[in-house]
């Protein structure tokens, strides 16, 4: 509902009423001084009489007349006739009710279409449950049913059942959802040999019968002869099978692993279906509230009693009178609790309605504490270096050349986490549904405070380790421990990795495992289907090439014993140079494979163009790395400049035009896009300019500067930091564009493929 559009019309009407009231007061003052014109006297009397009449409820019917009309497809739409159009300002009120009718008809039609969709989906879920129940019988109790045991088909909790539905062919009514029907089962019908609901043991329990399954007139296992398992290519093995097989379906094997896989997928389908029903119910409630609120505003401005008449029409419309969504919600809850939570309502509702995450004051306190400690440690390190004048001594410069790259890894990670925390803050401020886009489970997503806490804590560890290194290395009494102090960076790295992969439920385990799973899917590209978190994470890794090279430096520095000699001669090792090449290419190669996978699945040329963009970047990175290792070669420098220029140009265009959706020449916001979340347009132009500048800064590494090794290393680190900042800016506008695309296409939930496929459905598709 366009609530703001209706408010604008009411604002215009209020301003007109205020001007009219001021004019009437002026006429009254003139009348007090002398005889007013007769026509104005009559107008004033009519105004007073009209205002008195409007306070009477009986006059409501004379303000508006709402007609219910029938259009194509037996659909109803509403048209309001304003009966006071001849009065001053009546044309504005006519425009208001015309707009109000448009919104009611639009909302009503949209809601009805969506309800029809979920009803069809409920029918499909009923069939899926039939197949699941039969599969459970086959796996858990294969001898319980034989070909001679015929049963009447009656769902214990069918999604599409109706309390007022007619009796079935044998005279039995469908089982209701009320507790009375559960406590008092129906009497057997005369025509059925066995009619008591059949129970099987829950897969997770040996002695508790909790699953009240479908009764069948025929063999319940017969349904398994009409279904196949859908292969959604969600694992490397299924992907490889899908490449060599034309069909994406496989026959049932009736194994426990197969049953477990089907139950997990159908459980996820039910949760998404329930979430969809909740959104529909919320949609109905919010729109009904909006209509009520806007009519109250209209009454307040015009002093006309039209709200009751119009709201009666709204309440009787499909939007206000349909209870199908509520019934489906109740049946979905009962089915899920009975079949997927061991009949435990509390556990079932935890899955269907997870609680929102509560903010903790301790997070804010420790974030501020760690931030203050980080600043203090940074000042102490700078003072320590200046007091000892390390950079003025050859030994000190060599020491910093050895130790600084090891600690810069933590700097890259900390800065990236700070940018992510800032992105979350602005996503929330501008109401970007980042949790839905990333697919976070409700109640487990990290807020900007939690991410800032982690980044500041990591900064304290890294800066504390660097300060300890400086103190121990410069203390003459600790000379015999100097070799041991070189292991401090390695200890910090091991600690960070141990926390990241820790299996215990500490330090946001669900978020850590989500990150690890996405990283694993990126590494295994293109064997897994690509989701938004996968290629978003791979894009983030393309901005962390220097951090990845720092991992290789750790391997060389500690694996080859360079730390004990306090020398950094890793570039003299062939293995290190090979890894130095490969590690820089891996993130772009992962994105290239992801684009190829998406092109094969969606047949969209855009993904192939995106893949070519990453391939050009791979070529540029390889040539630049070769030039970096073969210093002084002019031919390599020219080739690196050309390749970097081509890759940078393609990346800049793709960032702004495709990823951000900007530079639209025919947009109502010139050179931007039609819909913007940030009200200040200058922000978008500044972001585009900054993206271009920081992309060009990436090319500066190709140029040969006559600088010392420490200064070159410092410049490389600064440019790497700038690239991380650019990626953080890119992330905000990338998700903003994705959110607006979701809103424009009404994507408010994730689609989960059904586990079973029926033969008759496949035949209909072929026809």
């Amino acid at each position: 509902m366009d609530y703001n559009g209706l408010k604008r019309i009411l604002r215009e009407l209020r301003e007109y009423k205020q001007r009219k009231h001021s004019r009437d007061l002026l006429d009254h003052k003139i009348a007090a001084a002398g005889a007013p014109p007769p026509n104005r006297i009559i107008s004033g009397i009519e105004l007073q009489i009209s205002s008195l009449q409007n306070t009477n409820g009986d006059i409501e019917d004379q303000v508006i007349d709402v007609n219910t009309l029938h259009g194509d497809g037996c659909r109803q739409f509403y048209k309001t006739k304003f009966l006071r159009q001849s009065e001053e300002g009546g044309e504005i009120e006519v425009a208001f009710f015309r707009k109000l009718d448009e919104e009611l008809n639009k909302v009503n039609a949209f809601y009805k279409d969506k309800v029809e969709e979920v009803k069809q989906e409920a029918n499909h879920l009923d069939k899926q449950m039939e197949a699941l129940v039969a599969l459970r019988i086959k796996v858990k109790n294969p001898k319980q049913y034989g070909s001679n045991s015929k049963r009447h088909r009656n769902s214990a909790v069918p999604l599409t059942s109706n309390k007022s539905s007619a009796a079935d062919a044998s005279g039995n009514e469908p089982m209701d959802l009320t507790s009375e029907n559960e406590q008092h089962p129906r009497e057997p019908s005369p025509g059925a040999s066995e009619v008591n609901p059949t129970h099987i043991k829950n897969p997770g329990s040996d002695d508790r019968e909790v699953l009240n399954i479908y009764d069948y007139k025929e063999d319940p296992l017969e349904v398994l002869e009409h279904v196949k398992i859908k292969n959604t290519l969600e694992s490397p093995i299924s992907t490889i099978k899908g490449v060599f097989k034309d069909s994406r379906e496989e026959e049932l094997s009736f194994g426990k692993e197969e049953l477990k896989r089907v139950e997990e997928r159908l459980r996820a389908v039910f949760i998404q279906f329930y979430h969809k029903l909740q959104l529909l119910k919320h949609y109905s409630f919010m729109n009904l509230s909006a209509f009520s609120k806007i009519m109250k505003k209209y009454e307040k401005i015009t002093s006309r009693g039209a709200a009751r008449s119009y709201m009666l029409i709204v309440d009787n419309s499909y939007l206000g009178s349909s209870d199908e969504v509520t019934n489906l919600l109740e049946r979905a809850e009962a089915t899920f609790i009975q079949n997927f939570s061991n009949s435990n309502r509390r556990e079932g509702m935890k899955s269907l309605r997870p609680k929102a995450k509560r903010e903790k004051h301790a997070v804010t306190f420790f974030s501020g504490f760690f931030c203050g400690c980080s600043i203090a440690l940074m000042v102490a390190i700078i003072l320590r270096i200046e007091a000892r004048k390390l950079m003025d001594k050859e030994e000190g410069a060599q020491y910093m050349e050895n130790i600084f790259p090891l600690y810069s890894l933590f700097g890259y990670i900390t800065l990236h986490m700070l940018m992510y925390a800032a992105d979350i803050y602005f996503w929330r401020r501008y109401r970007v549904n980042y949790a839905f886009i990333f697919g976070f489970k409700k109640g487990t997503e990290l807020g900007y405070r939690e991410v800032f806490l982690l980044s500041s804590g990591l900064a304290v560890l890294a800066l504390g380790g660097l300060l300890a290194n400086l103190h121990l290395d410069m203390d003459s009494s600790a000379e015999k421990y100097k070799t041991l102090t070189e292991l401090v960076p390695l200890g910090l790295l091991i600690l960070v990795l141990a926390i990241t992969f820790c299996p215990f439920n500490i330090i946001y385990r669900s978020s850590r495992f989500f990150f690890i799973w996405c990283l694993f899917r990126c590494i295994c590209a293109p064997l897994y289907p690509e989701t938004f978190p996968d290629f978003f994470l791979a894009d983030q890794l393309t901005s962390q090439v220097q951090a990845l090279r720092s991992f290789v430096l750790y391997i060389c520095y500690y694996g080859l014993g360079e730390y004990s000699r306090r020398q950094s001669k890793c570039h003299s090792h062939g293995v290190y140079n090979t890894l130095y090449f490969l590690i820089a290419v891996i993130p772009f190669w992962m994105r290239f494979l992801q684009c190829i996978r998406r092109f094969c699945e969606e047949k969209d040329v855009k993904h192939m163009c995106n893949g070519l963009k990453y391939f050009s970047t791979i070529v540029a990175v390889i040539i630049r790395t070769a030039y970096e290792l073969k210093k002084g070669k002019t031919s390599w420098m020219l080739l690196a400049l050309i390749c970097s220029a081509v890759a940078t140009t393609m990346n800049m265009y793709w960032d702004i035009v495709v990823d951000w959706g900007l530079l639209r020449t025919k947009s109502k916001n010139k050179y931007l896009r039609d819909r913007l979340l940030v009200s200040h347009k200058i922000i978008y132009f500044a972001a585009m300019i900054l993206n271009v500048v920081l992309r060009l800064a990436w090319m500066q590494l190709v140029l040969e500067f006559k600088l010392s090794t420490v200064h070159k290393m410092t410049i490389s680190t600064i440019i790497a930091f700038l690239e991380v900042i650019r990626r953080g800016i890119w992330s905000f506008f990338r998700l903003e564009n994705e959110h607006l695309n979701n809103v424009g296409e009404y994507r408010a939930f994730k689609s989960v493929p059904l586990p079973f496929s029926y033969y008759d459905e496949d035949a209909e598709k072929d026809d």
Side-chain angles (χ1 to χ4, degrees), residues 219-230:
D219 189 352
L221 302 183
E222 187 179 349
V223 69
L224 298 179
E225 300 177 2
H226 304 284
V227 297
K228 286 185 177 181
I229 294 289
K230 287 185 180 179

Side-chain angles (χ1 to χ4, degrees), residues 6 9-10 13 60 63-66 78-85 89-105 291 294-295 298-299 302 304-311:
L6 292 168
I9 299 177
L10 289 182
L13 180 61
E60 254 191 25
V63 178
I64 58 172
D65 182 21
V66 185
Y78 305 95
K79 188 174 182 180
T80 303
K81 183 179 180 181
F82 182 65
L83 304 179
R84 305 290 180 86
Q85 187 174 358
E91 65 277 2
I92 302 178
E93 297 185 57
V94 170
F96 170 77
F97 281 105
R98 186 187 303 118
K99 176 71 173 176
L100 194 64
D101 290 339
E102 291 176 1
E103 295 302 317
L104 176 58
N105 294 328
F291 279 111
I294 202 67
M295 288 305 300
Y298 171 80
E299 281 192 339
T302 63
R304 302 187 192 278
R308 190 170 63 185
S309 299
Y310 199 87
M311 287 307 300

Side-chain angles (χ1 to χ4, degrees), residues 550-567:
S550 296
F551 276 108
V552 179
L553 182 62
Y554 269 90
I555 297 173
C556 172
Y557 194 72
Y558 291 102
L560 301 178
E562 295 289 343
Y563 75 96
S564 60
R565 297 188 293 271
R566 290 176 175 264
Q567 296 177 356

Side-chain angles (χ1 to χ4, degrees), residues 189-204:
S189 61
S193 58
E194 296 181 26
V195 295
N196 289 331
T198 306
H199 294 73
I200 65 171
K201 293 184 180 180
N202 188 61

